[in-house]
Structure formats: C-alpha cells, structure tokens
C-alpha cells in the first residue's frame, strides 16, 4: 500500500482537506481516523483567521501529518504564485497544491493560468501538485511545465457527484502510466473513492464529504477503508465485465442423481 509522492514515502493514499469541520477537536480526530499523512490547508483562510491560525497549524503538526498548502481562491497565475511563495515561508515547505480557478459556477481550473503558474513555480523550486481537469493534453502540458504529480478532478469541488467522466480518468491512467495521479474534488461517498482507486489512481484527496458528514470521524474511517479496499482490488486484478453469464462452477456431461 506504500506510495511515493515527491520522493516522500507514504503509508496512506488518503489526502484530507481541513476546511469546514465543526471544531478543531473533530478535525483532529478525523485526521487520526483517516490515517492521512498529508493534509491540505488554504493560506487565504489562515491569513483571514489571524493569530488563531497558529493554533490551527499546531494542531495539524501535532497529528504528524504533512501540510500541503493550497492556493484556493486564486483567479490568476500571478496571484497563485504570490500566494505559493507566502505559503512556503509560512509553512516551511516547497510543496504546494496549485489551484487557479477559471469559472465561478463550476470552480473549474483555468488551464492557461494554471500552466503559467506551474511553470514559474517549478522553476522556483516548488513541488507543484496541480488541481486540474481530466483533459489529457492539459495534463501533458503540466508535466512539461515541471509537475511530477497531477490531481485531476472527479467532479466540481464540493459537488459530491463522484466520478462524472470515468472514461477520461481511465484514459489519463492508461496514457500516463508512470505519473502519480490523485483524484481531487467531487468525491461524495466511499463508493466514489473505491471507484477511483480501482481505476488505478494512486490516491484520493477530499474534504467536504468528511467535513460535512453527520459524523466526520466515522466518515473519515469509512473513506480510509474504501481507499484501501479499492487499491487492493486494483492490485489483485478485477474481474472483467462481460454481457453473458458464466457459471462459477463449470459442469460437464449429463446431470445425474445418486
């Protein structure tokens, strides 16, 4: 079950967001239940909370998880690059989840601004985790820009729709077999996480489905098990689908009665 991201070995394939939890204590318990070793955190939210942000960061650090700051809320490459550099100083990490949104309704990434920002940040020594669509050409351009990891969406952020285009995600996996791929955004249930992992994806990143659950701690545990089950199923080799029925116990000759 081990995973290597940016030359860092991880035991968990579950990356967890930290926004929208009922309380810091529930977030702490959810991280523990999830087994996640990487958690995302928006720098804009930290700046907005002022001094209390330090306590929030301390909570994350105490969990033992690695912080993956993100540029959520940015609408241009310049804005995202500026925020990423601030995040590097604040969190003392060169990891950055790069988000540059181009549409307010779907929160779909802007591919042009995203590639521009990724190019500059990669040259500046960042390990860029780009939140992108499932478009193969865009993903290839991000790799050309210096990204070593891709984070295509399953559906719009916070929509809970699951994997709306499994064909596109399957194509990405087939065409980019050696690139770490993480499904990010749109995951609504543990079943969605299983599906993503059974497609051969390396990890899943989600936030809302856990944070907004009736019991976030139990839901975090559910997703942990789903991600593990989906990965094990993929590694074991899934049964191929077919139209006709095939008996599980083959029989030969004529029936007989003792």
């Amino acid at each position: 079950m081990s995973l290597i991201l940016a030359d860092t070995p991880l035991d968990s394939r579950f990356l967890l967001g930290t926004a929208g939890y009922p309380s810091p204590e529930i977030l702490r318990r959810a991280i523990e239940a999830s087994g996640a070793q990487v958690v995302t955190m928006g720098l804009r939210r930290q700046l907005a909370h002022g001094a209390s942000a330090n306590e929030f960061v301390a909570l994350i650090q105490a969990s033992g998880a690695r912080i993956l700051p993100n540029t959520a809320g940015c609408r241009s490459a310049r804005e995202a690059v500026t925020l990423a550099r601030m995040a590097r100083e604040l969190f003392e990490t060169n990891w950055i989840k790069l988000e540059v949104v181009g549409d307010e309704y779907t929160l779909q990434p802007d591919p042009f601004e995203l590639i521009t920002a990724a190019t500059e940040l990669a040259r500046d020594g960042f390990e860029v985790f780009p939140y992108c669509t499932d478009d193969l050409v865009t993903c290839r351009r991000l790799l050309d820009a210096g990204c070593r990891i891709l984070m295509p969406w399953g559906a719009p952020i916070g929509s809970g729709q699951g994997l709306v285009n499994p064909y596109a995600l399957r194509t990405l996996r087939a065409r980019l077999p050696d690139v770490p791929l993480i499904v990010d955004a749109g995951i609504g249930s543990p079943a969605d996480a299983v599906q993503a992992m059974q497609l051969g994806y390396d990890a899943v990143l989600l936030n809302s489905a856990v944070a907004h659950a009736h019991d976030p701690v139990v839901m975090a545990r559910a997703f942990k098990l789903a991600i593990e089950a989906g990965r094990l199923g993929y590694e074991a080799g899934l049964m191929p689908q077919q139209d006709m029925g095939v008996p599980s116990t083959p029989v030969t000759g004529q029936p007989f009665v003792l």
Side-chain angles (χ1 to χ4, degrees):
M1 292 293 291
S2 62
L3 169 67
I4 297 179
L5 290 180
D7 303 319
T8 301
L10 302 169
D11 294 324
S12 173
R13 294 175 180 270
F14 188 1
L15 286 70
L16 185 64
T18 57
Y21 286 81
S23 71
E25 174 61 17
I26 290 178
L27 170 60
R28 184 194 67 77
R29 292 171 54 204
I31 294 173
E32 181 179 1
S34 73
Q37 294 175 294
V38 177
V39 298
T40 64
M41 181 179 297
L43 180 57
R44 283 182 179 277
R45 185 182 64 181
Q46 295 307 107
L47 295 175
H49 282 73
S52 63
N54 293 330
E55 298 178 4
F56 193 79
V57 173
L59 182 153
I60 303 300
Q61 293 173 332
S63 73
R66 179 163 186 156
I67 295 177
L68 174 61
N70 69 51
T71 62
C74 291
R75 299 295 185 271
S76 70
R78 176 177 295 182
E79 188 179 12
V81 168
T82 299
L83 201 61
R85 288 171 176 160
M86 293 174 64
R88 181 164 59 183
E89 293 185 14
L90 179 61
F91 299 116
E92 298 182 340
T93 178
N94 68 331
W95 285 21
I96 191 72
K97 178 186 173 185
L98 179 61
E99 297 184 31
V100 186
V101 170
D103 180 72
E104 295 296 331
Y105 182 74
T106 63
L107 300 181
Q108 179 173 326
D110 182 325
F112 303 102
E113 294 295 305
L114 185 66
I115 293 168
T116 298
T119 301
E120 185 169 349
L121 290 173
R123 289 174 180 169
D124 200 21
F126 282 88
E127 193 69 59
V128 182
F129 293 62
Y131 162 60
C132 55
T133 65
D134 50 22
D135 178 72
L136 176 60
V137 175
T138 299
C139 287
R140 281 178 166 163
R141 295 295 177 268
L142 287 167
L143 295 174
D144 292 341
C147 299
R148 296 195 293 168
I149 297 158
L150 298 175
M151 304 178 71
W153 68 351
I157 294 174
S159 69
Q161 294 182 47
L163 309 186
V164 298
N165 194 346
Y167 169 78
L169 292 173
R170 189 180 300 112
T171 300
L172 281 182
R173 179 72 288 172
R175 299 294 290 162
L176 305 173
D178 300 321
V179 177
L181 298 178
I182 302 170
V183 172
D184 177 17
I187 297 292
S189 75
D192 299 331
V194 170
Q195 184 183 12
M197 299 306 292
Q198 288 184 164
L199 286 175
Y201 276 69
D202 296 284
V204 169
L205 191 158
L206 60 94
N207 185 164
S208 300
V210 170
H212 299 160
H214 176 69
D215 190 330
V217 178
V218 172
M219 187 61 79
R221 171 71 172 165
F223 271 106
K224 175 181 184 292
L225 296 175
I227 291 167
E228 291 176 356
R231 181 65 187 185
L232 286 172
Y234 172 75
E235 292 178 348
L238 300 173
M239 177 181 176
Q241 296 181 356
Q242 52 191 15
D243 294 331
M244 63 182 181
V246 179
S248 58
T249 305
V251 293
T252 59
Q254 299 296 319
F256 60 90
V257 178
L258 295 176

